[in-house]
Amino acid sequence: MKRFWILLLFPLILTGLARAILYFVYPVSFASLSATQALLAYFSGFRFGISVVFTLFAVPSLFLSIIPVKYSWHKIWERFWFIIYIILLYITSFALITDLVFFNFGEKHITNEFEDLLSNVDLGEITSLLKGYFVYIILLAVVFAVSLYFSKYVLAKLPQKKLKWFYIPVLFVIVFFGARGSFDTKPINIVTAYQHSFAEGALKLNGLFTMYRSSALVGHGYLAVKHDHFPFKQALAIATGKKYDAANPYPLIQDIPHDPTKHIKPNLFIIVVESLSYKYVNGLGMKKVVVTPYLEKLLKKSAVFTHFFANGPRSVVGLQAVLTGLPPVVGQELIASGLTSRVKGLGNIAVDNGYNTIFLQASKRNSYRLDLVAAEAGYKEQYGSETTPLLLDYKDKPPFGWDYDLLMRSLKMANKQTKPFIIAEFTGTTHYPYVHIPKSIPIHQFPYSRTSINGLYNTLLYTDWSIHEFLEEAKKQPWFKNTIFLITADHTNQGFNRGGFPEEFHTPLIIYSPALVKPQVITDIGSQIDIMPTMAKLLNLKGQLPYIGRDLFSPPTKYSGALTTIGVTTGWITNKEYMLHTLSNVIQKGTFDPSLKYTDEQWKTVENRLLANHQVVYDLVRNNKWTK
């Protein structure tokens, strides 16, 4: 019996140690917790550790310890189950270290993103991403070695002892409820941790639990949340103000506002910059340190949106939202990870209007399967770094490509077009870990660092310079006057952007076209899913598109807001207030103006709007009624 409990104790200690390291490595993420709150959350988190440890380790520990049958004493039997135990111990260490690294990017525990990483990132990218994390890798090796040693020691010093059959049912009950983590009708899940605040939930959870509960092995158990909060008719009315018509099962398909008297067909460049937080754009957030001098000058000549937000924390989420107008919601697959429902993007309707559509990315063509997202969104051509010639003498090799060469390639492609075009491109140089920018590039550079904020600053300066070179060259082209340039981000920089919700979603949006777009500052709410309907109207396209977003140049309504998703939490941001929710309970709410004091009834209206928006998207996509 003693051997059984000690074998379970090792992985439990590892999960507790990982959470302690998480707290001290990322103190800003838990700064909102008092010492008492942090301590209570930490000890409460052992319930999640016990749950996953009992689930994965109970059987091999049991067979190594207490089965009172003759064959269980055989050396081959013991060696077999010891190997299984050690493999699980190694997986545990690997999962916890991976989670610690991932937390730096998403400020959340890793869930089914691990499956995406395994299936979408090649070995070269993985190697590049691990640079700067040698301490974690060494820790993994040490933890595994120590665990291996003590496991062997336990087996050697604590030999088998016969156990009466009477104790087996008792032990089974203990393990059963320990694995469930609850005496309730439902076992604990990821969302169970987020009862009070996001920070408390993050401190309670460990990477092994979140990976397992979100894996295909348990049917994406982290998604076991309530999606239907209202009858669909009511949800549609709360979210959009629309009345449900049973004769029209596609309520979000809308006619694009089209002016038949206008016959010009503007071109469009969509430039999605990797990890460009609002706070790092000079003239918007950044003031003391200059890292985007060209964008700062561009602001005065552009339509600038100061209250604009990403819909999620990852590139595949951001590109999906920008290109198709489909927001991510909890429980719904992404296009890049197997969404089987129909979607329709700006590229699809543009092709119907006689446009050529092209998607380029600085990284490899199939990086995170963004080429498939672009194809689904109607971009007929997709290109990556494999076919992008390098124009400068680079000494370093970035994991996600060089931005200058990407932008200049798109310029050359535009020069070859004989029809109006939309070119969407996704940069990559500002992705962590940060590369060495050549000294020959005429920008001020900070002391080089692959992992610190100076590395980010250098890559931001490089990307800003690249956009400058691209636009200045574009001005010389005959198509420039009839072209719109849209600059935004896929998501914020998670590594140094610990501003809490909603700041962690705050991204810039700049629309520049001297002949077609009036310079102005727009402070109304907007998000990535609004880009598609905005551009469809601005290009004066004819046809229909499905979207729950809005035209950003039109005044917002009481239904306007930004729907965000991170992990198992859903956010709602408007001009005045914001709320973070687990779809079971509110974990954070607030107003941008501290003088605004909302009543409980007003907050209930905000909560209903959040839940209804989530439900409308989830139900329509699940039932394949997002578009025809």
Side-chain angles (χ1 to χ4, degrees), residues 173-246:
V173 171
I174 294 173
V175 170
F176 176 77
F177 284 104
R180 287 175 59 84
S182 171
F183 292 103
D184 201 353
T185 55
K186 291 183 179 180
I188 59 172
N189 221 308
I190 293 176
V191 71
T192 310
Y194 298 103
Q195 295 299 314
H196 302 292
S197 73
F198 194 83
E200 279 191 32
L203 191 54
K204 291 176 183 178
L205 293 170
N206 64 81
L208 182 66
F209 180 87
T210 57
M211 279 190 192
Y212 174 75
R213 293 300 300 172
S214 64
S215 70
L217 293 172
V218 288
H220 294 290
Y222 78 111
L223 303 177
V225 296
K226 184 178 180 181
H227 299 286
D228 298 326
H229 299 268
F230 315 96
F232 182 76
K233 294 179 182 180
Q234 184 182 357
L236 185 67
I238 295 172
T240 67
K242 296 176 180 289
K243 290 185 177 180
Y244 180 73
D245 180 3

Side-chain angles (χ1 to χ4, degrees), residues 458-532:
N458 283 335
T459 55
L460 283 171
L461 282 163
Y462 163 80
T463 298
D464 179 80
W465 171 81
S466 300
I467 294 173
H468 168 267
E469 296 297 298
F470 163 76
L471 281 178
E472 292 304 309
E473 190 64 29
K475 291 176 182 178
K476 304 173 185 177
Q477 310 308 320
W479 43 260
F480 174 77
K481 290 183 179 180
N482 192 40
T483 301
I484 299 167
F485 300 87
L486 182 150
I487 302 171
T488 188
D490 58 339
H491 53 74
T492 60
N493 179 281
Q494 299 296 323
F496 304 105
N497 201 56
R498 308 298 188 191
F501 182 79
E503 187 60 30
E504 287 170 3
F505 293 87
H506 198 185
T507 55
L509 176 62
I510 302 168
I511 301 177
Y512 170 66
S513 181
L516 302 174
V517 178
K518 175 185 175 183
Q520 55 191 298
V521 176
I522 297 176
T523 59
D524 295 324
I525 185 65
S527 71
Q528 291 168 328
I529 63 171
D530 300 318
I531 287 177
M532 186 180 75

Side-chain angles (χ1 to χ4, degrees), residues 325-524:
L326 176 63
V329 296
V330 174
Q332 175 185 289
E333 295 282 359
L334 298 173
I335 296 173
S337 57
L339 180 67
T340 56
S341 300
R342 292 181 295 268
V343 296
K344 196 172 185 179
L346 182 67
N348 299 112
I349 197 69
V351 169
D352 294 341
N353 280 259
Y355 276 72
N356 284 340
T357 54
I358 303 169
F359 175 77
L360 304 98
Q361 55 185 319
S363 57
K364 292 182 179 180
R365 185 178 185 271
N366 64 352
S367 178
Y368 293 107
R369 296 183 179 174
L370 293 179
D371 57 328
L372 302 182
V373 178
E376 194 76 14
Y379 290 82
K380 297 300 182 182
E381 302 176 45
Q382 306 95 34
Y383 302 95
S385 61
E386 300 94 327
T387 54
T388 300
L390 296 182
L391 305 176
L392 300 178
D393 184 20
Y394 299 109
K395 303 299 182 184
D396 206 347
K397 185 179 180 181
F400 295 98
W402 291 108
D403 295 348
Y404 172 78
D405 310 270
L406 166 77
L407 291 165
M408 299 311 288
R409 181 185 184 186
S410 69
L411 186 73
K412 289 185 177 181
M413 297 186 79
N415 288 336
K416 296 178 181 179
Q417 301 303 309
T418 58
K419 297 164 63 176
F421 60 83
I422 297 178
I423 297 179
E425 47 196 323
F426 177 41
T427 71
T429 309
T430 47
H431 196 292
Y432 184 97
Y434 306 113
V435 292
H436 205 146
I437 304 301
K439 292 294 183 182
S440 58
I441 295 176
I443 57 173
H444 164 74
Q445 293 194 30
F446 294 84
Y448 171 68
S449 172
R450 199 171 187 83
T451 58
S452 78
I453 199 168
N454 283 337
L456 171 64
Y457 286 168
N458 283 335
T459 55
L460 283 171
L461 282 163
Y462 163 80
T463 298
D464 179 80
W465 171 81
S466 300
I467 294 173
H468 168 267
E469 296 297 298
F470 163 76
L471 281 178
E472 292 304 309
E473 190 64 29
K475 291 176 182 178
K476 304 173 185 177
Q477 310 308 320
W479 43 260
F480 174 77
K481 290 183 179 180
N482 192 40
T483 301
I484 299 167
F485 300 87
L486 182 150
I487 302 171
T488 188
D490 58 339
H491 53 74
T492 60
N493 179 281
Q494 299 296 323
F496 304 105
N497 201 56
R498 308 298 188 191
F501 182 79
E503 187 60 30
E504 287 170 3
F505 293 87
H506 198 185
T507 55
L509 176 62
I510 302 168
I511 301 177
Y512 170 66
S513 181
L516 302 174
V517 178
K518 175 185 175 183
Q520 55 191 298
V521 176
I522 297 176
T523 59
D524 295 324

